[in-house]
Amino acid sequence: MTLIDDLNQIAQAAQADLDQEGVDLEQVRVAYLGKKGKITQVLKSMKDLSVDEKKAVGQVGNQVREAIQTSLDEKKEAQAAAALNAKLAAETIDVTLPGTKPKLGNRHVLQQIMDEIEGHFLGLGYQVIDDPVDSPEVETDEYNFERENLPKDHPARDMQDTFYITPEILLRTQTSPVQSRALEKHDFSKGPLKMIAPGKVYRRDTDDATHSHQFHQVEGLVVGKNITMADLKGTLLSIMQELFGEKHQIRLRPSYFPFTEPSVEVDVSWDEVTEDTKPEDIRWIEVLGAGMTHPNVLKMDGVDPEEYSAFAFGLGPDRFAMLKYGVEDIRQFYLNDVRFLDQFNKRGN
Ligand code: DAH
C-alpha cells in the first residue's frame, strides 16, 4: 500500500506548507491539486493495481484532495480576516483625541467700546439711533454743516473736508447731523429728547498714526426744559468713569464749536485721583468735545430756545480704545490683522 502512504505523506506535506506564515495559497493549490499536481501524479501511477486496490487508493486520494481543499479554504478565509484586521488597526480613529476647535470670531475692539457706551446710556434712559435712515453716512451739506451752524463760508469747515458725491451730498464728517434728524422727529409732549448716535464718520485726511479717513463717533444730545451745564458735566463724568474707571476725574476747558455755546473740551485724568492727589500732579488727556447746544441750532430744528435748552457731546471710540489699550497707531484698528484683534478677544477662544 505504498501509494496510500504516499498520499498520506502528501497530505502532511500540504498541511505543513499551508501552516507556513505568508504562504502563497495559489501556489500550494497548483502544486498539490493541479492537473500536474502531486495527487494526480500518484493517481496516474495506479494503473497496474488491481480493481480493489485502485478503489482503495482512489478513495484515499479523494479524501486527501478534499482535506487539502478544506484547509486551503480555511487558510484563505483566515488570510482575508487578517488582512482586514491589519487594515482596521492601521486606520483606527482615536475618538478620545481632542478635536480641532473651530475658531469663533469676536467683537471688534471698537465695537466693544461702542457697546459699552451704548449700555451705559441705555441705562440712563437714552435712545440709541444707529439705523441708516435716521443716521445716514451719506449726508447732505445741509444736515452735516448748515444745520450745525456751519454755513457755506464758515472757516471751521476747513477742518472737516470730506468726500463729496455731489456739491450738496457728502460722506458725513461728524455724527452731529443725527441731532437735527432726531430733533425734527421728536414729540416733546412725550418728554425730553435723550439720544446717542454711534456711527462711522469720514474726513479727507491722509492716513497716519493718528488720522484715519474713516473713524467713529458717538454723538449725544439731551433737549428738555432746564437742562444745564451741570447735567452735562455729571453725564460726562459718569461715562468717563464707566470707560476708564471710577477713580478717574474729568476737567472741562473752554473751547469752540459752531453748534454749542458755551463749548468745552473735556479731559480725563490719566491716573486715578484720590483725596491725596495734588491737583498739580494730575495728568490730563483730551478726550471729547461738548457744550450747550447753540440757540440757532435749536431754532433751525424747530425748537424754541426760550422754552428748551440742550447739551451735546461727541465721543471718539477710536481715541478711547487707543488710550485704554495703549494702541499707538489708529490704522491697527482697520487692518483686520487677527493677531492684533485677538488681543481684545474677551471670549478667550
Ligand atoms: N462734531 C464734533 C467733531 O466732529 C464733535 C462734537 C463736539 C460733537 C462738541 C458735539 C459737541 O456734539 O457738542 O469735531
Side-chain angles (χ1 to χ4, degrees), residues 12 17 46 61 94 114 125 141 179 197 206 233 252 285 302 308 325:
Q12 276 173 18
D17 284 353
M46 51 178 203
D94 183 352
M114 292 205 282
D141 184 276
Q179 294 188 12
T206 305
K233 191 171 179 185
L252 271 52
I285 30 166
Y308 294 95
Y325 298 112

Side-chain angles (χ1 to χ4, degrees), residues 160 173-176 179 203 217 219-220 257 259-260 264 288-291 312-315:
Q160 299 197 6
T173 59
Q174 46 187 356
T175 42
S176 304
Q179 294 188 12
R203 301 266 168 106
Q217 287 188 342
E219 193 78 17
F257 297 104
F259 38 87
T260 44
V264 289
L288 64 103
F313 55 85
L315 311 178

Side-chain angles (χ1 to χ4, degrees), residues 94-105:
D94 183 352
V95 291
T96 64
L97 271 180
T100 321
K101 256 197 186 172
K103 179 126 184 60
L104 294 179

Side-chain angles (χ1 to χ4, degrees), residues 110-111 113-115 117-119 121 127-132 134-137 172 174-175 178 195-201 215-220 315 317:
L110 295 177
Q111 190 61 49
I113 295 215
M114 292 205 282
D115 287 350
I117 295 172
E118 276 181 35
F121 282 106
Q127 53 170 306
V128 177
I129 303 180
D130 60 0
D131 61 283
D134 294 318
S135 176
E137 286 173 33
R172 69 178 176 194
Q174 46 187 356
T175 42
V178 186
M195 56 143 276
I196 57 162
K200 291 194 189 87
V201 299
F215 57 101
H216 297 82
Q217 287 188 342
V218 181
E219 193 78 17
L315 311 178

